[in-house]
Amino acid sequence: MVRSQPMNATIAAFARAGGVGVETVHFYQRRQLLPMPSQARGVRRYGPEDLRRLRFIRAAQAAGFTLEQVGELLSLDAGEDRSRALALAEARVDALDARIDALCAARDALRRLARACAATDTGPCPILAAFELG
C-alpha cells in the first residue's frame, strides 16, 4: 500500500512522514536544503513537494553525498544538468571506493593482529602492542 503524502502537514507530521525528527527538519532549513513554509494562523504547513524534497535529501545522504553535494544536486535541473549530476555521482563513487579500501586494509590488519594474539598466550598481546603509545 502506498502511503499518501500529507497535503497540509504540521512539522511533526511532516518529519514523521519523512522518517526524521523535527530538529532534522530545522537543521535542513538552516542549511537551506528545505524551504521555510509560510505560516497559516501561526502554524507552518508542509505539502507534498516539501516531502518529496525531504525524501530526496535523505536518499542522497544514504548514497553517501555530503550536505553540500545534496544542495548542489537539488539545484540541478533534471533534464539539463545530467553531466554535472553524473560527475558528482562518479566523484562520490571514487570517494566511497577509497574509504572501502581503507576499511578493508584496517580489517585485514586487525585480523592479522587477532590471529597473532590467538597464536600464543605468552608475552605482550599483539593487539595492545600494536596500539601502544610511544
Side-chain angles (χ1 to χ4, degrees):
M1 181 177 151
V2 175
R3 189 192 314 183
S4 63
Q5 297 177 344
M7 293 304 291
N8 193 22
T10 64
I11 191 168
F14 171 66
R16 196 170 34 257
V20 300
V22 170
E23 283 305 312
T24 301
V25 172
H26 289 303
F27 176 74
Y28 290 158
Q29 288 170 332
R30 285 191 303 273
R31 296 293 300 262
Q32 298 180 342
L33 297 173
L34 281 175
M36 184 74 71
S38 59
Q39 291 186 11
R41 293 188 301 229
V43 177
R44 297 190 190 282
R45 297 292 179 166
Y46 296 81
E49 182 57 28
D50 298 313
L51 184 57
R52 185 199 66 75
R53 190 173 181 97
L54 176 59
R55 288 180 173 161
F56 179 95
I57 294 166
R58 300 297 291 164
Q61 281 188 295
F65 288 101
T66 66
L67 289 179
E68 290 76 21
Q69 291 167 328
V70 171
E72 185 173 355
L73 287 170
L74 285 166
S75 72
L76 298 177
D77 181 287
E80 300 296 322
D81 296 320
R82 291 173 67 107
S83 62
R84 181 62 188 143
L86 177 60
L88 284 169
E90 288 173 339
R92 196 66 213 133
V93 168
D94 291 345
L96 289 171
D97 284 343
R99 189 167 180 201
I100 289 167
D101 291 345
L103 288 170
C104 288
R107 179 197 59 207
D108 294 345
L110 191 54
R111 279 187 179 155
R112 283 191 300 278
L113 290 170
R115 280 194 299 271
C117 183
T120 183
D121 58 0
T122 60
C125 171
I127 297 169
L128 297 176
F131 303 129
E132 186 175 68
L133 292 176

